[in-house]
Amino acid sequence: MGDDYWLLGWKEHKASDYSSIFVLTLIDRYNREYVVRIYVSVSTISMVFPINQLNLTDEVTGITMLINGGTVNLSGRVFCISNIRIRIVT
């Protein structure tokens, strides 16, 4: 069993237009309950490069591609997870 944890539930609290705070409740194999607070911010990244450098065999899920002549513009969301706090309840 090792370090297995079970997710009992979570709530999302919007902190701003581009960030949220997730509060998760976990339980371990000894029935100890934990509250985990995670701050997640969301941004967008965009890159333009020559089309001959595009490799479509790579994973492109969640990315928007715009091909314009000899260039390609890639844009997608970036999630930044920070400020993780864990507190034991029982």
Side-chain angles (χ1 to χ4, degrees):
M1 255 176 120
D3 294 328
D4 293 336
Y5 295 88
W6 293 271
L7 178 65
L8 296 178
W10 74 88
K11 290 185 180 180
E12 179 181 359
H13 305 278
K14 188 172 183 177
S16 72
D17 286 343
Y18 301 103
S19 61
S20 293
I21 296 171
F22 289 88
V23 179
L24 292 77
T25 304
L26 305 176
I27 193 168
D28 68 9
R29 65 182 173 156
Y30 303 107
N31 291 325
R32 292 181 296 216
E33 192 173 319
Y34 301 85
V35 174
V36 180
R37 180 183 174 270
I38 302 172
Y39 181 82
V40 179
S41 58
V42 180
S43 293
T44 303
I45 189 169
S46 183
M47 297 180 291
V48 177
F49 54 90
I51 198 165
N52 63 357
Q53 293 182 2
L54 181 64
N55 183 356
L56 292 178
T57 61
D58 291 337
E59 177 65 42
V60 292
T61 302
I63 295 174
T64 302
M65 289 189 296
L66 174 63
I67 298 174
N68 185 12
T71 62
V72 62
N73 182 337
L74 296 179
S75 61
R77 294 188 304 165
V78 176
F79 297 95
C80 177
I81 298 174
S82 62
N83 203 10
I84 298 173
R85 296 183 185 164
I86 301 171
R87 179 175 52 95
I88 190 165
V89 177
T90 57

Coordinates of all heavy atoms in Angstrom, one line a residue:
M1 N 0.8 -1.2 0.0 CA 0.0 0.0 0.0 C 0.9 1.3 0.0 O 0.5 2.2 -0.6 CB -0.9 0.0 1.2 CG -2.3 -0.3 0.8 SD -3.4 -0.4 2.2 CE -4.5 0.8 1.8
G2 N 1.9 1.3 0.7 CA 2.9 2.4 0.7 C 2.3 3.7 1.1 O 1.6 3.8 2.1
D3 N 2.5 4.7 0.3 CA 2.1 6.1 0.6 C 0.8 6.5 -0.2 O 0.7 7.5 -0.7 CB 3.2 7.1 0.3 CG 4.4 6.9 1.2 OD1 4.2 6.5 2.3 OD2 5.5 7.2 0.7
D4 N -0.2 5.6 -0.2 CA -1.4 5.8 -0.9 C -2.3 6.8 -0.1 O -2.4 6.8 1.1 CB -2.2 4.5 -1.1 CG -1.5 3.5 -2.0 OD1 -0.7 4.0 -2.8 OD2 -1.8 2.3 -1.9
Y5 N -2.9 7.7 -0.9 CA -3.9 8.6 -0.4 C -5.2 8.6 -1.2 O -5.1 8.3 -2.4 CB -3.3 10.1 -0.4 CG -2.1 10.2 0.5 CD1 -0.9 10.0 0.1 CD2 -2.3 10.7 1.8 CE1 0.2 10.1 0.9 CE2 -1.2 10.8 2.7 CZ 0.1 10.6 2.2 OH 1.1 10.7 3.0
W6 N -6.3 8.8 -0.6 CA -7.6 8.9 -1.3 C -8.1 10.3 -1.2 O -8.1 10.9 -0.2 CB -8.5 7.9 -0.7 CG -8.1 6.4 -0.9 CD1 -8.4 5.6 -2.0 CD2 -7.3 5.7 0.0 NE1 -7.8 4.4 -1.8 CE2 -7.1 4.4 -0.6 CE3 -6.7 5.9 1.2 CZ2 -6.4 3.4 0.0 CZ3 -5.9 4.9 1.8 CH2 -5.8 3.7 1.2
L7 N -8.6 10.7 -2.4 CA -9.2 12.1 -2.4 C -10.7 12.0 -2.0 O -11.5 11.3 -2.6 CB -9.1 12.6 -3.9 CG -9.8 13.9 -4.2 CD1 -9.0 15.0 -3.4 CD2 -9.7 14.2 -5.7
L8 N -11.0 12.7 -0.9 CA -12.4 12.7 -0.4 C -13.2 13.8 -1.1 O -14.4 13.7 -1.1 CB -12.4 12.9 1.1 CG -11.7 11.9 1.9 CD1 -11.7 12.2 3.4 CD2 -12.4 10.5 1.7
G9 N -12.6 14.9 -1.5 CA -13.3 15.9 -2.2 C -12.4 17.2 -2.4 O -11.3 17.2 -1.8
W10 N -12.9 18.1 -3.1 CA -12.2 19.4 -3.3 C -13.2 20.5 -3.6 O -14.3 20.3 -4.0 CB -11.2 19.3 -4.4 CG -11.8 19.3 -5.8 CD1 -12.1 20.3 -6.6 CD2 -12.2 18.1 -6.6 NE1 -12.6 20.0 -7.8 CE2 -12.7 18.6 -7.8 CE3 -12.1 16.8 -6.3 CZ2 -13.2 17.7 -8.7 CZ3 -12.6 15.9 -7.3 CH2 -13.1 16.4 -8.5
K11 N -12.7 21.7 -3.3 CA -13.4 22.9 -3.7 C -12.5 23.9 -4.4 O -11.3 24.0 -4.0 CB -14.0 23.6 -2.4 CG -15.1 22.8 -1.7 CD -15.6 23.6 -0.6 CE -16.8 22.8 0.1 NZ -17.3 23.5 1.2
E12 N -13.0 24.6 -5.4 CA -12.3 25.6 -6.1 C -12.8 27.0 -5.6 O -14.0 27.2 -5.7 CB -12.4 25.4 -7.6 CG -11.6 26.5 -8.3 CD -11.7 26.3 -9.8 OE1 -12.4 25.4 -10.3 OE2 -11.2 27.2 -10.6
H13 N -11.9 27.8 -5.3 CA -12.2 29.2 -4.9 C -11.5 30.1 -5.9 O -10.2 30.1 -6.0 CB -11.8 29.5 -3.5 CG -12.3 28.6 -2.5 ND1 -13.6 28.7 -2.0 CD2 -11.8 27.5 -1.9 CE1 -13.8 27.7 -1.1 NE2 -12.7 26.9 -1.1
K14 N -12.2 30.9 -6.6 CA -11.6 31.8 -7.6 C -10.9 33.0 -6.8 O -11.5 33.7 -6.1 CB -12.7 32.4 -8.5 CG -12.2 33.2 -9.7 CD -13.3 33.5 -10.6 CE -12.7 34.3 -11.8 NZ -13.7 34.6 -12.8
A15 N -9.7 33.2 -7.1 CA -8.9 34.2 -6.5 C -8.9 35.5 -7.3 O -8.8 36.6 -6.8 CB -7.5 33.7 -6.2
S16 N -8.8 35.3 -8.7 CA -8.9 36.4 -9.6 C -9.3 35.8 -11.0 O -9.6 34.7 -11.1 CB -7.5 37.1 -9.7 OG -6.6 36.2 -10.4
D17 N -9.3 36.7 -12.0 CA -9.6 36.2 -13.3 C -8.7 35.1 -13.8 O -9.0 34.3 -14.7 CB -9.7 37.3 -14.3 CG -10.9 38.2 -14.1 OD1 -11.9 37.8 -13.5 OD2 -10.9 39.3 -14.6
Y18 N -7.4 35.1 -13.3 CA -6.4 34.2 -13.8 C -5.8 33.3 -12.8 O -4.8 32.6 -13.0 CB -5.2 35.0 -14.4 CG -5.7 35.9 -15.5 CD1 -5.9 37.3 -15.3 CD2 -6.0 35.4 -16.8 CE1 -6.3 38.1 -16.4 CE2 -6.5 36.2 -17.8 CZ -6.6 37.6 -17.6 OH -7.1 38.4 -18.6
S19 N -6.5 33.1 -11.6 CA -6.0 32.2 -10.6 C -7.1 31.7 -9.8 O -8.2 32.3 -9.6 CB -5.0 33.0 -9.7 OG -5.6 34.0 -9.1
S20 N -6.8 30.5 -9.2 CA -7.8 29.8 -8.3 C -7.0 29.2 -7.2 O -5.8 28.9 -7.3 CB -8.6 28.7 -9.1 OG -9.4 29.3 -10.0
I21 N -7.7 29.0 -6.1 CA -7.2 28.2 -5.0 C -8.0 27.0 -4.8 O -9.3 27.0 -4.8 CB -7.3 29.0 -3.7 CG1 -6.4 30.3 -3.8 CG2 -6.9 28.2 -2.5 CD1 -6.6 31.3 -2.6
F22 N -7.4 25.8 -4.9 CA -8.0 24.5 -4.7 C -7.7 24.0 -3.3 O -6.6 24.0 -2.8 CB -7.5 23.5 -5.7 CG -7.9 23.8 -7.1 CD1 -7.2 24.6 -7.9 CD2 -9.1 23.2 -7.6 CE1 -7.6 24.9 -9.2 CE2 -9.5 23.5 -8.9 CZ -8.7 24.3 -9.7
V23 N -8.8 23.6 -2.6 CA -8.7 23.0 -1.3 C -9.1 21.6 -1.4 O -10.3 21.3 -1.7 CB -9.5 23.8 -0.2 CG1 -9.4 23.1 1.1 CG2 -9.1 25.2 -0.2
L24 N -8.2 20.6 -1.2 CA -8.4 19.2 -1.3 C -8.5 18.6 0.0 O -7.7 19.0 0.9 CB -7.3 18.5 -2.1 CG -7.2 18.8 -3.6 CD1 -6.6 20.2 -3.8 CD2 -6.4 17.8 -4.3
T25 N -9.3 17.6 0.2 CA -9.3 16.8 1.4 C -8.8 15.4 1.1 O -9.4 14.7 0.2 CB -10.7 16.7 2.1 OG1 -11.1 18.1 2.3 CG2 -10.7 16.0 3.4
L26 N -7.8 14.9 1.7 CA -7.2 13.6 1.5 C -7.3 12.7 2.7 O -7.3 13.3 3.8 CB -5.7 13.7 1.0 CG -5.4 14.6 -0.2 CD1 -3.9 14.6 -0.3 CD2 -6.1 14.0 -1.4
I27 N -7.2 11.4 2.6 CA -7.2 10.5 3.7 C -6.1 9.5 3.4 O -6.0 9.0 2.3 CB -8.5 9.9 4.0 CG1 -8.5 9.2 5.4 CG2 -9.0 8.9 2.9 CD1 -9.9 8.8 5.9
D28 N -5.3 9.1 4.4 CA -4.3 8.0 4.2 C -4.8 6.7 4.7 O -5.9 6.6 5.1 CB -2.9 8.5 4.8 CG -2.9 8.5 6.3 OD1 -3.9 8.0 6.9 OD2 -1.9 9.0 6.9
R29 N -3.9 5.7 4.6 CA -4.3 4.3 5.0 C -4.6 4.2 6.5 O -5.1 3.2 6.9 CB -3.3 3.3 4.5 CG -1.9 3.4 5.1 CD -1.0 2.4 4.6 NE 0.3 2.6 5.1 CZ 1.2 1.7 5.1 NH1 0.9 0.5 4.7 NH2 2.4 2.0 5.6
Y30 N -4.1 5.1 7.3 CA -4.4 5.1 8.7 C -5.6 6.0 9.1 O -5.8 6.3 10.3 CB -3.1 5.6 9.5 CG -1.9 4.8 9.1 CD1 -0.9 5.3 8.4 CD2 -1.8 3.4 9.6 CE1 0.2 4.6 8.0 CE2 -0.7 2.7 9.3 CZ 0.3 3.3 8.5 OH 1.4 2.5 8.2
N31 N -6.4 6.4 8.1 CA -7.5 7.2 8.3 C -7.2 8.6 8.8 O -8.1 9.2 9.5 CB -8.6 6.5 9.2 CG -9.2 5.4 8.5 OD1 -9.4 5.4 7.3 ND2 -9.6 4.3 9.2
R32 N -6.0 9.0 8.6 CA -5.6 10.4 9.0 C -6.1 11.3 7.8 O -5.8 11.0 6.6 CB -4.1 10.6 9.2 CG -3.7 9.9 10.5 CD -2.2 10.0 10.7 NE -1.5 9.4 9.6 CZ -0.3 8.8 9.7 NH1 0.3 8.7 10.8 NH2 0.3 8.3 8.6
E33 N -6.7 12.4 8.2 CA -7.2 13.3 7.2 C -6.3 14.5 7.0 O -5.8 15.1 8.0 CB -8.6 13.8 7.6 CG -9.4 14.5 6.6 CD -10.8 14.8 7.0 OE1 -11.4 13.9 7.7 OE2 -11.3 15.9 6.7
Y34 N -6.1 14.9 5.7 CA -5.3 16.1 5.4 C -6.0 17.1 4.6 O -6.9 16.7 3.8 CB -4.0 15.6 4.6 CG -3.2 14.6 5.3 CD1 -3.5 13.2 5.2 CD2 -2.1 15.0 6.0 CE1 -2.7 12.3 5.8 CE2 -1.3 14.0 6.6 CZ -1.6 12.7 6.5 OH -0.8 11.8 7.2
V35 N -5.7 18.3 4.8 CA -6.3 19.4 3.9 C -5.1 20.0 3.2 O -4.1 20.4 3.7 CB -7.0 20.5 4.8 CG1 -7.4 21.7 3.9 CG2 -8.2 19.9 5.5
V36 N -5.2 20.0 1.8 CA -4.1 20.5 1.0 C -4.7 21.7 0.2 O -5.7 21.7 -0.4 CB -3.7 19.4 0.0 CG1 -2.6 20.0 -0.9 CG2 -3.3 18.2 0.7
R37 N -3.9 22.8 0.4 CA -4.3 24.1 -0.3 C -3.3 24.3 -1.4 O -2.1 24.4 -1.2 CB -4.3 25.2 0.7 CG -4.7 26.6 0.1 CD -4.5 27.6 1.3 NE -4.7 28.9 0.8 CZ -3.8 29.7 0.3 NH1 -2.6 29.3 0.3 NH2 -4.1 30.9 -0.1
I38 N -3.8 24.5 -2.6 CA -2.9 24.7 -3.8 C -3.4 26.0 -4.5 O -4.5 26.1 -4.9 CB -3.0 23.5 -4.8 CG1 -2.6 22.2 -4.0 CG2 -2.1 23.8 -6.0 CD1 -2.8 21.0 -4.9
Y39 N -2.4 26.9 -4.8 CA -2.7 28.1 -5.6 C -2.3 27.8 -7.0 O -1.2 27.4 -7.3 CB -1.9 29.2 -5.0 CG -2.1 30.6 -5.7 CD1 -3.2 31.4 -5.4 CD2 -1.2 31.0 -6.7 CE1 -3.4 32.6 -6.1 CE2 -1.4 32.2 -7.4 CZ -2.5 33.0 -7.0 OH -2.7 34.1 -7.7
V40 N -3.2 28.0 -8.0 CA -3.0 27.8 -9.4 C -3.2 29.0 -10.2 O -4.3 29.6 -10.1 CB -3.9 26.6 -9.9 CG1 -3.6 26.4 -11.4 CG2 -3.7 25.4 -9.1
S41 N -2.2 29.5 -10.9 CA -2.5 30.6 -11.8 C -2.4 30.2 -13.2 O -1.6 29.2 -13.5 CB -1.4 31.8 -11.5 OG -0.1 31.3 -11.7
V42 N -3.1 30.8 -14.1 CA -3.2 30.4 -15.5 C -2.7 31.6 -16.4 O -3.2 32.7 -16.2 CB -4.6 30.0 -15.9 CG1 -4.7 29.6 -17.4 CG2 -5.1 28.9 -15.0
S43 N -1.8 31.3 -17.3 CA -1.3 32.3 -18.2 C -1.4 31.8 -19.6 O -1.6 30.6 -19.8 CB 0.1 32.8 -17.9 OG 0.2 33.4 -16.7
T44 N -1.1 32.6 -20.6 CA -1.1 32.1 -22.0 C 0.3 32.4 -22.5 O 0.9 33.4 -22.2 CB -2.1 32.9 -22.8 OG1 -3.4 32.7 -22.3 CG2 -2.1 32.4 -24.3
I45 N 0.8 31.4 -23.3 CA 2.1 31.6 -23.9 C 1.9 31.5 -25.4 O 1.0 30.8 -25.9 CB 3.1 30.5 -23.4 CG1 4.5 30.8 -23.9 CG2 2.6 29.1 -23.8 CD1 5.6 29.9 -23.3
S46 N 2.7 32.3 -26.1 CA 2.6 32.3 -27.6 C 4.0 32.4 -28.2 O 4.8 33.1 -27.7 CB 1.7 33.6 -28.0 OG 1.6 33.6 -29.4
M47 N 4.2 31.6 -29.2 CA 5.5 31.6 -29.9 C 5.2 31.6 -31.4 O 4.3 31.0 -31.9 CB 6.2 30.3 -29.5 CG 6.6 30.2 -28.1 SD 7.5 28.6 -27.7 CE 6.2 27.4 -28.0
V48 N 6.1 32.2 -32.1 CA 6.1 32.2 -33.6 C 7.5 31.7 -34.1 O 8.5 32.2 -33.6 CB 5.9 33.6 -34.2 CG1 5.9 33.6 -35.7 CG2 4.5 34.2 -33.7
F49 N 7.5 30.7 -35.0 CA 8.7 30.3 -35.5 C 8.5 29.7 -36.9 O 7.4 29.5 -37.4 CB 9.4 29.2 -34.6 CG 8.5 28.0 -34.3 CD1 8.4 26.9 -35.1 CD2 7.7 28.1 -33.2 CE1 7.6 25.8 -34.8 CE2 6.9 27.0 -32.8 CZ 6.8 25.9 -33.6
P50 N 9.6 29.5 -37.7 CA 9.5 29.0 -39.1 C 8.7 27.7 -39.1 O 8.9 26.8 -38.3 CB 10.9 28.9 -39.6 CG 11.7 29.8 -38.7 CD 11.0 29.8 -37.3
I51 N 7.9 27.5 -40.1 CA 7.1 26.3 -40.2 C 7.9 25.0 -40.4 O 7.5 24.0 -40.0 CB 6.0 26.4 -41.4 CG1 4.9 25.4 -41.2 CG2 6.7 26.4 -42.7 CD1 3.7 25.7 -42.0
N52 N 9.1 25.2 -41.0 CA 10.0 24.0 -41.2 C 10.5 23.4 -39.8 O 11.1 22.4 -39.8 CB 11.1 24.3 -42.1 CG 12.1 25.3 -41.7 OD1 11.9 25.9 -40.6 ND2 13.1 25.6 -42.5
Q53 N 10.3 24.2 -38.7 CA 10.7 23.7 -37.4 C 9.6 23.0 -36.7 O 9.8 22.5 -35.6 CB 11.3 24.8 -36.6 CG 12.6 25.4 -37.1 CD 13.1 26.5 -36.2 OE1 12.5 26.8 -35.2 NE2 14.2 27.1 -36.6
L54 N 8.4 23.0 -37.3 CA 7.2 22.4 -36.7 C 7.3 20.8 -36.8 O 7.5 20.3 -37.8 CB 5.9 22.8 -37.3 CG 4.6 22.3 -36.8 CD1 4.4 22.8 -35.4 CD2 3.5 22.8 -37.7
N55 N 7.2 20.2 -35.6 CA 7.2 18.7 -35.6 C 5.8 18.2 -35.1 O 5.6 18.2 -33.9 CB 8.3 18.2 -34.7 CG 8.4 16.7 -34.7 OD1 7.6 16.0 -35.3 ND2 9.4 16.2 -34.0
L56 N 5.0 17.8 -36.0 CA 3.6 17.4 -35.6 C 3.5 16.0 -34.9 O 2.5 15.6 -34.5 CB 2.7 17.4 -36.8 CG 2.4 18.8 -37.4 CD1 1.5 18.7 -38.6 CD2 1.8 19.7 -36.3
T57 N 4.7 15.3 -34.8 CA 4.7 14.1 -34.1 C 4.7 14.3 -32.5 O 4.4 13.4 -31.8 CB 5.8 13.2 -34.4 OG1 7.1 13.8 -34.1 CG2 5.8 12.8 -35.9
D58 N 5.0 15.5 -32.1 CA 4.9 15.8 -30.7 C 3.5 16.0 -30.2 O 2.6 16.3 -31.0 CB 5.7 17.1 -30.4 CG 7.2 16.9 -30.6 OD1 7.7 15.8 -30.5 OD2 7.9 17.9 -30.8
E59 N 3.3 15.9 -28.9 CA 2.0 16.1 -28.3 C 1.6 17.6 -28.4 O 2.4 18.4 -28.0 CB 2.0 15.7 -26.8 CG 0.8 15.9 -26.0 CD -0.4 15.0 -26.6 OE1 -0.1 13.9 -26.8 OE2 -1.5 15.6 -26.7
V60 N 0.4 17.9 -28.9 CA 0.0 19.2 -29.1 C -1.4 19.5 -28.5 O -2.1 20.4 -28.8 CB 0.0 19.7 -30.6 CG1 1.4 19.7 -31.1 CG2 -0.9 18.7 -31.4
T61 N -1.8 18.6 -27.5 CA -3.1 18.8 -26.9 C -3.1 20.1 -26.1 O -2.2 20.5 -25.4 CB -3.4 17.7 -25.9 OG1 -3.3 16.4 -26.6 CG2 -4.7 17.8 -25.2
G62 N -4.2 20.9 -26.3 CA -4.3 22.2 -25.6 C -3.6 23.3 -26.2 O -3.6 24.4 -25.6
I63 N -3.0 23.1 -27.4 CA -2.3 24.2 -28.1 C -3.0 24.6 -29.3 O -3.5 23.7 -30.1 CB -0.9 23.7 -28.4 CG1 -0.1 23.4 -27.1 CG2 -0.1 24.7 -29.3 CD1 1.3 22.9 -27.3
T64 N -3.1 25.9 -29.6 CA -3.7 26.4 -30.8 C -2.6 26.7 -31.8 O -1.6 27.4 -31.4 CB -4.6 27.6 -30.5 OG1 -5.6 27.3 -29.6 CG2 -5.2 28.2 -31.8
M65 N -2.7 26.2 -33.0 CA -1.7 26.5 -34.1 C -2.4 27.3 -35.2 O -3.4 27.0 -35.6 CB -1.2 25.2 -34.7 CG -0.3 24.4 -33.8 SD 0.5 23.0 -34.7 CE -0.9 22.0 -35.1
L66 N -1.7 28.4 -35.6 CA -2.1 29.2 -36.7 C -0.9 29.3 -37.7 O 0.1 29.8 -37.4 CB -2.5 30.6 -36.2 CG -2.8 31.6 -37.3 CD1 -4.0 31.2 -38.1 CD2 -3.0 33.0 -36.7
I67 N -1.1 28.7 -38.9 CA -0.1 28.6 -39.9 C -0.4 29.8 -40.8 O -1.5 29.9 -41.4 CB -0.1 27.3 -40.6 CG1 0.2 26.2 -39.6 CG2 0.9 27.3 -41.8 CD1 0.1 24.8 -40.2
N68 N 0.7 30.6 -41.0 CA 0.5 31.8 -41.9 C 1.8 31.9 -42.8 O 2.8 32.3 -42.4 CB 0.4 33.1 -41.0 CG 0.2 34.3 -41.8 OD1 -0.1 34.2 -43.0 ND2 0.4 35.5 -41.2
G69 N 1.6 31.4 -44.0 CA 2.7 31.4 -44.9 C 3.8 30.4 -44.5 O 3.6 29.3 -44.2
G70 N 5.0 31.0 -44.2 CA 6.1 30.2 -43.8 C 6.4 30.1 -42.3 O 7.4 29.6 -41.8
T71 N 5.4 30.7 -41.5 CA 5.6 30.7 -40.1 C 4.4 30.0 -39.4 O 3.3 29.9 -40.0 CB 5.7 32.1 -39.5 OG1 4.5 32.9 -39.8 CG2 6.9 32.8 -40.1
V72 N 4.6 29.6 -38.2 CA 3.5 29.0 -37.4 C 3.5 29.7 -36.0 O 4.5 30.1 -35.5 CB 3.7 27.5 -37.2 CG1 4.9 27.1 -36.5 CG2 2.5 26.9 -36.5
N73 N 2.3 30.1 -35.6 CA 2.1 30.7 -34.3 C 1.4 29.7 -33.4 O 0.3 29.2 -33.6 CB 1.2 31.9 -34.4 CG 1.0 32.7 -33.1 OD1 1.1 32.1 -32.1 ND2 0.6 33.9 -33.2
L74 N 2.1 29.3 -32.3 CA 1.6 28.4 -31.3 C 1.2 29.2 -30.1 O 1.9 30.0 -29.6 CB 2.6 27.3 -30.9 CG 3.1 26.4 -32.0 CD1 4.2 25.5 -31.4 CD2 2.0 25.6 -32.5
S75 N 0.0 28.9 -29.5 CA -0.4 29.5 -28.3 C -1.1 28.5 -27.4 O -1.8 27.6 -27.9 CB -1.3 30.7 -28.5 OG -2.5 30.4 -29.2
G76 N -1.0 28.6 -26.1 CA -1.7 27.7 -25.2 C -1.6 28.2 -23.8 O -1.0 29.2 -23.5
R77 N -2.3 27.5 -22.9 CA -2.3 27.9 -21.5 C -1.2 27.2 -20.7 O -0.8 26.1 -21.0 CB -3.7 27.5 -20.9 CG -4.8 28.2 -21.5 CD -6.1 28.0 -20.7 NE -6.4 26.6 -20.7 CZ -7.3 26.1 -19.8 NH1 -8.0 26.8 -19.0 NH2 -7.5 24.8 -19.8
V78 N -0.7 28.0 -19.8 CA 0.3 27.5 -18.9 C -0.2 27.6 -17.4 O -0.7 28.6 -17.0 CB 1.6 28.4 -19.0 CG1 2.7 27.9 -18.0 CG2 2.1 28.3 -20.4
F79 N -0.1 26.5 -16.7 CA -0.6 26.4 -15.3 C 0.7 26.5 -14.4 O 1.6 25.7 -14.6 CB -1.3 25.1 -15.0 CG -2.6 25.0 -15.8 CD1 -2.6 24.3 -17.0 CD2 -3.7 25.6 -15.4 CE1 -3.8 24.2 -17.8 CE2 -4.9 25.5 -16.2 CZ -4.9 24.8 -17.3
C80 N 0.6 27.4 -13.5 CA 1.7 27.6 -12.5 C 1.1 27.2 -11.1 O 0.2 27.9 -10.7 CB 2.2 29.0 -12.5 SG 3.5 29.3 -11.3
I81 N 1.7 26.2 -10.5 CA 1.2 25.7 -9.2 C 2.2 26.2 -8.2 O 3.4 25.9 -8.3 CB 1.1 24.2 -9.2 CG1 0.0 23.8 -10.2 CG2 0.7 23.7 -7.8 CD1 -0.2 22.3 -10.3
S82 N 1.7 26.9 -7.2 CA 2.6 27.4 -6.1 C 1.9 27.5 -4.8 O 0.7 27.2 -4.7 CB 3.1 28.8 -6.5 OG 2.0 29.7 -6.6
N83 N 2.6 27.8 -3.8 CA 2.1 28.1 -2.5 C 1.3 26.9 -2.0 O 0.1 27.0 -1.5 CB 1.3 29.4 -2.5 CG 1.1 30.0 -1.1 OD1 1.8 29.6 -0.2 ND2 0.3 31.0 -1.0
I84 N 1.8 25.7 -2.0 CA 1.2 24.5 -1.6 C 1.3 24.4 0.0 O 2.4 24.5 0.5 CB 1.7 23.2 -2.2 CG1 1.5 23.3 -3.7 CG2 1.1 21.9 -1.7 CD1 2.2 22.2 -4.5
R85 N 0.2 24.2 0.6 CA 0.2 24.1 2.1 C -0.6 22.8 2.5 O -1.7 22.5 1.9 CB -0.5 25.3 2.8 CG 0.3 26.5 2.5 CD -0.3 27.7 3.2 NE 0.4 28.9 2.9 CZ -0.1 30.1 3.1 NH1 -1.3 30.3 3.7 NH2 0.6 31.1 2.7
I86 N 0.0 22.0 3.4 CA -0.6 20.7 3.8 C -0.8 20.8 5.3 O 0.2 21.1 6.0 CB 0.2 19.5 3.4 CG1 0.4 19.5 1.9 CG2 -0.4 18.2 3.9 CD1 1.4 18.5 1.4
R87 N -2.0 20.5 5.8 CA -2.3 20.5 7.2 C -3.0 19.2 7.6 O -3.9 18.8 6.9 CB -3.2 21.7 7.5 CG -3.5 21.8 9.0 CD -4.3 23.1 9.3 NE -5.5 23.3 8.5 CZ -6.7 22.9 8.8 NH1 -7.0 22.3 9.9 NH2 -7.7 23.2 7.9
I88 N -2.5 18.5 8.6 CA -3.1 17.3 9.1 C -4.3 17.7 10.0 O -4.2 18.6 10.8 CB -2.2 16.3 9.8 CG1 -2.9 15.0 10.0 CG2 -1.6 16.9 11.0 CD1 -1.9 13.8 10.4
V89 N -5.5 17.0 9.8 CA -6.7 17.3 10.5 C -6.8 16.4 11.7 O -7.1 16.8 12.8 CB -7.9 17.3 9.6 CG1 -9.2 17.6 10.4 CG2 -7.8 18.3 8.5
T90 N -6.6 15.1 11.4 CA -6.8 14.1 12.5 C -5.6 13.2 12.6 O -4.9 13.0 11.7 CB -8.1 13.2 12.3 OG1 -7.9 12.6 11.0 CG2 -9.3 14.0 12.4

